[in-house]
Amino acid sequence: MRTTAGARECEGSPQAPDWSPVMKKPLAIAVALALGTTACGSDDKGKAPEVVKDGTFTYAIPADPGVLEPATAVLGSTNTVLGFAYDTLVHSDATGKIIPGLAEKWDAGPEKVTFTLRKGVTCSDGSPVTARTVADSMNYLADPKNKASLLGVLIPAGMKATADDAAGTVGLATAAPNPFLLESMTAVYVVCGKGLADRSLLKDSTSGSGPYELTEKVAGDHYTFKVRKGYAWGPDGGGIVDGMPGTVTLKVVKDESTAANLVTSGGLSGGQFTGAERKRVEIIPGIHKGSAPDGIGELFFHQGDDRPGNALDVRKALIQSLDLADLRKITGQGNAAAPTHLTSLAPDPCRGDSVTGNLPATDTAAAGTALDAAGWKAGADGVRARDGRRLTLRIAYSTSAGPGVQAGMEYVATRFKAIGVETKLAGSADAKYAESLFSTGDWDLAWVPLGLSLPTQLTGYLSGPFPDAKGSNFAHLKNTEYVRLSGEAAKTVGAPGCPAWTTAEASLVRNLDVVPVSQPTQLVASKGATLDVIGGIVRPTSIRMLAE
């Protein structure tokens, strides 16, 4: 899962619109913070702050990135690292507008997007980045034998890339209409040079055209980059300017308390905070602050034929037993808003309200009555059963989601117990959690921090083949209305189709196929530097080292 665009809060300056996104792929998308920012940093006299030339910027990442191959990158930490070394064809700004990247212009249709590339782009090894380079990089991702994580999510199945080096154009053609193929390219890295010829090199090194080149990797500790002085093809034509760091070190800091101490002492230039350390970091003298949603926390029921969640009346009763506002406060640790739609990552083009009015209100008495009517009767020990089977739900969640989610699932268990439902909390590390969702299926209710950038990305997870048929429909959803409505929506290219997508999403929420609960925020804090994070990725060309 790649991730979130929001708006930086600058003390003494207006706040830009908060268009946030986060992409988590326990599913295959990793939740990653993204923060769109306005320019921060005028002094009391209105003058721009003095910047430091060729400084060192040190930023905390919460986990080791692992393998650096862009085709299989799923962790937010991995994509943060790769964002310094690689470029994309286009970018999104903080409002969701698509702006030039490697491509200076484009022509988007329902089944093909043609990009015209900038001239003079080079890879980190000095080789030219041509139309053929880009096409080869895209075709690698589209080939099923390479098992790219983005295939079926950002890269449509059956996509083919063609190149015209003389014209400097790349065409991406799809087998079926794809209304947001242009927007998808904001999150697809282009591999070039030696790494394109030999992908095995990408396990431990980078081979991209980005503004920085990886020079040192110490797994579990840090990743160091050096600036590429000739870089001049960044977002909207940006290049290397005074104030950008000459060296960037991404340091693995798993504990927020440690990260807070390092920011305070100057051992880190910045980091992100979601828990108890947030308030402590916010009051550090000289701190620059920004906030952004940290994905959408959602509840999913396993709707397999033999599961209690297969029945809508049971799903409704269970949700009625919960106070979703309380659950939001607990899981978001007081820093969460009510979601209004099911995507959150930049560019997030469709922002209509598909949630309000489509979830049942809290009604514990009605929940009990509905379960009685469905044949789930309370036994002598208070636990409901039907046909000799106890109403027991295994609740899956990732332990890396933090103490708020742990407490939230304990709250759910308590509320379910009050209506006679037995629960088993099954918190696990990311790898086992993903295996449970996509392989073993040993869950009945799951907390999924799903953050996606486009409504088309939802279809693979919320419809289509189940995991046992090598699909991604992990909850075994069978919403025929959503399939029909999303199919109709997909016939219209870009934003004009958004009302239809909102209607399709609403059918999922009404049917309780997905229960959006919480859109929490993270704090991005920096000291002696400012930066933008858009689409879950630090924008390298936005970093400015300040003489404070």
Side-chain angles (χ1 to χ4, degrees):
M1 319 163 197
R2 261 185 204 120
T3 68
T4 309
R8 166 170 290 226
E9 300 171 7
C10 306
E11 296 183 79
S13 66
Q15 181 173 341
D18 190 2
W19 308 126
S20 295
V22 189
M23 216 176 173
K24 189 148 188 165
K25 206 168 182 181
L27 300 136
I29 300 183
V31 170
L33 172 71
L35 181 68
T37 74
T38 57
C40 303
S42 293
D43 63 20
D44 293 339
K45 299 179 180 179
K47 297 179 180 179
E50 183 181 353
V51 297
V52 176
K53 296 182 179 180
D54 296 322
T56 297
F57 177 76
T58 306
Y59 193 77
I61 53 177
D64 185 78
V67 174
L68 299 180
E69 161 64 83
T72 57
V74 297
L75 294 175
S77 295
T78 308
N79 288 311
T80 296
V81 171
L82 298 181
F84 281 84
Y86 293 94
D87 284 314
T88 55
L89 282 166
V90 290
H91 300 273
S92 169
D93 68 10
T95 70
K97 177 184 176 182
I98 304 302
I99 59 176
L102 290 178
E104 60 184 1
K105 59 182 180 180
W106 49 85
D107 180 27
E111 297 178 354
K112 185 176 182 179
V113 181
T114 301
F115 297 91
T116 301
L117 303 183
R118 296 184 185 277
K119 294 179 173 62
V121 177
T122 60
C123 197
S124 57
D125 63 4
S127 62
V129 176
T130 65
R132 173 51 54 194
T133 302
V134 175
D136 287 348
S137 182
M138 294 295 172
N139 282 329
Y140 182 89
L141 298 174
D143 189 338
K145 73 179 183 183
N146 296 321
K147 300 180 180 179
S149 300
L150 298 186
L151 182 59
V153 179
L154 294 171
I155 301 293
M159 189 188 82
K160 301 292 183 184
T162 56
D164 184 337
D165 280 333
T169 58
V170 175
L172 302 181
T174 57
N178 189 290
F180 297 110
L181 183 59
L182 170 64
E183 290 83 356
S184 296
M185 290 302 111
T186 63
V188 179
Y189 294 126
V190 173
V191 176
C192 56
K194 296 177 181 178
L196 183 59
D198 181 1
R199 304 284 299 211
S200 68
L201 299 175
L202 302 181
K203 178 181 179 180
D204 297 305
S205 63
T206 59
S207 188
S209 60
Y212 288 83
E213 181 178 5
L214 181 67
T215 57
E216 184 178 51
K217 171 190 173 183
V218 179
D221 189 79
H222 70 272
Y223 294 73
T224 298
F225 295 81
K226 294 295 184 183
V227 72
R228 295 182 62 203
K229 293 293 187 181
Y231 182 86
W233 45 85
D236 223 4
I240 307 303
V241 299
D242 286 348
M244 284 182 60
T247 301
V248 171
T249 296
L250 302 178
K251 187 169 180 59
V252 180
V253 185
K254 298 179 181 180
D255 180 66
E256 280 197 4
S257 179
T258 301
N261 291 338
L262 289 170
V263 171
T264 303
S265 67
L268 282 174
S269 306
Q272 60 196 56
F273 302 87
T274 59
E277 299 299 323
R278 178 175 182 148
K279 294 187 182 300
R280 177 161 74 94
V281 173
E282 285 181 325
I283 61 173
I284 295 174
I287 203 75
H288 297 267
K289 299 179 293 184
S291 65
D294 186 22
I296 301 175
E298 299 165 328
L299 290 171
F300 285 84
F301 291 94
H302 194 308
Q303 294 188 35
D305 293 339
D306 61 339
R307 305 301 179 100
N310 176 262
L312 176 58
D313 54 353
V314 173
R315 297 198 298 275
K316 182 177 179 181
L318 292 169
I319 295 304
Q320 283 181 309
S321 75
L322 304 176
D323 186 321
L324 295 182
D326 282 350
L327 182 57
R328 180 178 310 121
K329 292 176 184 176
I330 296 168
T331 57
Q333 298 182 284
N335 297 303
T340 59
H341 58 295
L342 304 185
T343 55
S344 58
L345 300 177
D348 192 20
C350 296
R351 298 165 182 170
D353 191 342
S354 59
V355 178
T356 303
N358 289 323
L359 292 172
T362 304
D363 191 333
T364 304
T369 300
L371 290 176
D372 285 337
W376 293 100
K377 305 291 187 178
D381 61 356
V383 177
R384 294 178 180 273
R386 186 177 69 181
D387 300 328
R389 177 185 177 187
R390 293 166 71 88
L391 184 49
T392 304
L393 300 181
R394 183 178 175 86
I395 303 177
Y397 62 95
S398 171
T399 52
S400 69
V405 170
Q406 169 74 35
M409 296 308 97
E410 292 171 355
Y411 165 84
V412 170
T414 299
R415 296 291 293 226
F416 282 179
K417 182 178 181 180
I419 59 169
V421 179
E422 188 175 56
T423 59
K424 296 180 180 179
L425 295 182
S428 57
D430 284 351
K432 186 176 181 181
Y433 166 71
E435 181 182 17
S436 177
L437 290 184
F438 285 92
S439 180
T440 63
D442 56 347
W443 62 281
D444 298 290
L445 180 71
W447 176 268
V448 182
L450 180 62
L452 301 172
S453 59
L454 304 168
T456 46
Q457 294 167 355
L458 288 166
T459 57
Y461 294 122
L462 307 184
S463 63
F466 306 148
D468 54 6
K470 299 184 178 180
S472 298
N473 184 356
F474 64 97
H476 290 235
L477 305 185
K478 299 175 282 288
N479 189 324
T480 56
E481 182 182 16
Y482 172 71
V483 172
R484 178 180 63 81
L485 291 171
S486 60
E488 288 297 317
K491 295 177 182 178
T492 303
V493 177
C498 285
W501 282 107
T502 299
T503 301
E505 284 187 13
S507 72
L508 292 166
V509 179
R510 280 195 305 272
N511 202 48
L512 302 179
D513 294 322
V514 54
V515 181
V517 176
S518 173
Q519 190 162 342
T521 62
Q522 287 193 353
L523 169 72
V524 171
S526 57
K527 189 176 181 182
T530 60
L531 70 150
D532 297 348
V533 185
I534 298 177
I537 306 299
V538 174
R539 184 149 286 176
T541 53
S542 74
I543 303 171
R544 298 292 182 270
M545 304 300 297
L546 307 179
E548 296 184 333

